[in-house]
Amino acid sequence: MDHSAAETSPPSSRTPKGWQNQDISPTAQAKIKRVLDACTPGSDIEGLIQAATSSDGLMNDEVRRKAWPILLGYTPPMGTDRIAWQDLPPHKDEHQVRLDVDRSFIYYPRNESEAQLERRKSELSAVITQVLRTYPMLSYFQGFHDIVQVFLLVLGVDDAAAAVSHLSLLRIRDFMLPSLSPSLAHLRLLPSILQVADTKLCKHLSETQPFFALGAVLTLYAHEIQEYGDIARLFDFLLAHGAVVSVYFFAVIILSRREELFEIPADEPEMLHSILSKLPKPLDLEALIAQTMSLYVEFPPERLPFRSWARISPFSVLKTTRGDFRQQSLNNGVDLFEKQASQLRREQWLEQAKATVWKYRRPAGRVGLAIFVGMIAFWLRRSGFESYGAITLRRLWEHLRFIGRR
């Protein structure tokens, strides 16, 4: 199926077309029926995951409106359960939200009037603002609006906020923390995946940092893919699997450009970065998805080299979306966010402590360093980090022993 032609102008969620009346093949109709059957209460979600992964995904937006909430692990709220978010305090990032919303709906939907597009922008702003005000600990990032506009077009303004809340806290939480570090951890898996998939290509790219993938991975490719049918299809696949699959997908895109990349010398990382930061056009989505699943199954993250998986935080979505993650609630997401944010503060403080010790390493001496470590232990207990204190002190002491030998 040509996804780019399938749904260039998303239908309103208020007046969906009946799929039985659409001009589609009997095979497609049979698949749609199987997907809708898999969306009924008590059905096995594996059938839905398989359908979202197989060729053409979930077929159309009417089916997605049934399937996406299930893939995200929640039941859409009834009217009486909706939050009166307008009365909540403003979020610190609302100014940036307004700037980004003004730049939304550039490529799709097509053939809409200025008034219609302005209405969509108003709805997009409302959905994003509702999520941020309801969960004020979340940090907005540029490109988040690209993701949300897809959910808005598929689910409609009344149901998008619940989906985006679950996505934000349980699927892309790493990108909404107050530091970029957890997001970069996703990218640092790329060399390990390339190493097991194509050692020669991995070596060729070894001088090029994987930051070229940031825009695509951060926005679930919504900032890069310009056809509505394509990004909706890709979301079918990404929502069906854990967060790490998005990184494997980018690795497969790199592998698909092997010949092009070898034409550029390895000692020109700027040129390689420039090429890799833009997705090739057109994307053969079905082939890329199939290859992603093959690579993921053959080399799961636990088997990646360089201890790259071991370095991932246990609170990262890369790990918390492994296994039966659809049982997680929004409260679980908030708790994981707080744990991850606490870990980030601890690591940032440790780096600052290392820098301070290095700065004063000569005059401090061994006795001074011992007193300094004691002060750290006292501070950790006062700051509520006692459960991590042993690990933090051991890492700092190893650093002190190292500089003491210099």
Side-chain angles (χ1 to χ4, degrees):
M1 179 184 288
D2 181 0
H3 302 296
S4 63
E7 292 190 50
T8 55
S9 183
S12 167
S13 62
R14 300 177 182 83
T15 56
K17 294 181 180 179
W19 63 268
Q20 299 94 333
N21 299 323
Q22 294 180 20
D23 185 19
I24 58 177
S25 69
T27 301
Q29 288 196 28
K31 180 177 183 181
I32 290 174
K33 185 178 185 304
R34 288 197 306 273
V35 174
L36 292 176
D37 288 343
C39 292
T40 57
S43 298
D44 184 5
I45 196 172
E46 289 302 321
L48 188 56
I49 293 171
Q50 183 179 5
T53 306
S54 63
S55 181
D56 298 330
L58 298 175
M59 308 298 289
N60 63 43
D61 282 359
E62 185 177 357
V63 178
R64 290 182 179 109
R65 283 190 281 276
K66 297 282 188 180
W68 279 13
I70 297 172
L71 292 175
L72 283 167
Y74 77 97
T75 301
M78 304 299 290
T80 55
D81 296 330
R82 301 187 190 280
I83 299 171
W85 59 269
Q86 294 91 339
D87 298 329
L88 297 174
H91 188 275
K92 60 182 176 61
D93 296 328
E94 288 186 25
H95 174 68
Q96 186 61 54
V97 171
R98 288 191 292 272
L99 294 176
D100 286 353
V101 166
D102 286 342
R103 296 190 289 263
S104 61
F105 300 109
I106 300 299
Y107 301 111
Y108 52 80
R110 298 174 183 169
N111 304 319
E112 291 200 341
S113 67
E114 285 296 321
Q116 288 173 313
L117 289 176
E118 285 303 313
R119 177 180 62 82
R120 290 195 185 274
K121 289 180 181 181
S122 177
E123 292 175 344
L124 177 62
S125 178
V127 172
I128 296 174
T129 305
Q130 177 177 343
V131 173
L132 293 179
R133 289 190 182 184
T134 307
Y135 301 100
M137 78 289 291
L138 295 174
S139 294
Y140 176 84
F141 61 89
Q142 289 185 274
F144 183 68
H145 71 291
D146 293 308
I147 300 174
V148 178
Q149 76 177 19
V150 179
F151 279 90
L152 175 64
L153 294 172
V154 170
L155 300 177
V157 65
D158 292 335
D159 296 320
V164 174
S165 295
H166 282 79
L167 182 86
S168 301
L169 285 167
L170 300 172
R171 298 296 192 94
I172 60 170
R173 181 177 62 250
D174 294 6
F175 308 153
M176 307 195 77
L177 284 152
S179 166
L180 190 61
S181 176
S183 303
L184 299 181
H186 289 233
L187 308 187
R188 293 192 180 100
L189 291 176
L190 279 170
S192 300
I193 299 172
L194 293 176
Q195 175 68 19
V196 296
D198 190 327
T199 304
K200 185 176 179 181
L201 180 58
C202 182
K203 183 178 181 181
H204 185 71
L205 299 176
S206 61
E207 297 300 317
T208 306
Q209 294 296 317
F211 304 140
F212 49 74
L214 184 62
V217 172
L218 202 67
T219 64
L220 302 182
Y221 303 87
H223 186 69
E224 308 296 331
I225 294 178
Q226 299 176 2
E227 297 292 342
Y228 175 73
D230 285 348
I231 191 58
R233 163 59 188 122
L234 183 57
F235 272 30
D236 293 343
F237 171 61
L238 296 179
L239 296 182
H241 299 278
V244 74
V245 167
S246 178
V247 185
Y248 277 78
F249 184 78
F250 200 98
V252 168
I253 292 176
I254 296 174
L255 293 169
S256 73
R257 309 178 75 176
R258 189 177 194 275
E259 293 183 6
E260 176 188 7
L261 294 171
F262 274 121
E263 292 176 357
I264 302 168
D267 59 359
E268 294 188 16
E270 294 84 1
M271 181 66 71
L272 288 166
H273 176 98
S274 177
I275 289 176
L276 288 167
S277 63
K278 301 177 181 64
L279 298 187
K281 297 178 183 179
L283 282 176
D284 187 350
L285 278 179
E286 299 304 338
L288 292 171
I289 287 171
Q291 291 162 20
T292 298
M293 287 310 299
S294 296
L295 183 61
Y296 175 69
V297 170
E298 185 176 2
F299 300 106
E302 292 83 1
R303 290 182 53 195
L304 295 177
F306 314 136
R307 298 190 72 252
S308 56
W309 188 246
R311 293 190 178 94
I312 300 296
S313 166
F315 310 122
S316 166
V317 294
L318 292 169
K319 288 187 173 177
T320 61
T321 57
R322 300 280 288 158
D324 190 17
F325 58 89
R326 289 183 178 86
Q327 301 302 315
Q328 297 171 6
S329 67
L330 289 174
N331 288 335
N332 294 142
V334 171
D335 182 58
L336 288 166
F337 183 98
E338 292 172 351
K339 289 179 178 178
Q340 202 168 357
S342 176
Q343 183 183 49
L344 279 173
R345 289 193 298 270
R346 191 173 64 253
E347 291 176 350
Q348 290 169 353
W349 180 88
L350 180 60
E351 290 304 314
Q352 292 172 356
K354 287 181 180 179
T356 300
V357 170
W358 178 259
K359 183 177 180 180
Y360 297 106
R361 65 192 183 280
R362 298 284 181 206
R366 291 185 178 274
V367 175
L369 291 177
I371 294 173
F372 182 68
V373 171
M375 293 172 62
I376 291 171
F378 175 74
W379 180 87
L380 287 169
R381 287 193 295 273
R382 286 194 58 186
S383 304
F385 291 158
E386 61 270 16
S387 58
Y388 306 104
I391 297 173
T392 303
L393 288 173
R394 184 169 62 250
R395 290 171 61 187
L396 183 59
W397 186 249
E398 289 172 354
H399 181 71
L400 295 177
R401 291 178 61 191
F402 170 76
I403 65 173
R405 293 193 297 266
R406 293 177 66 86

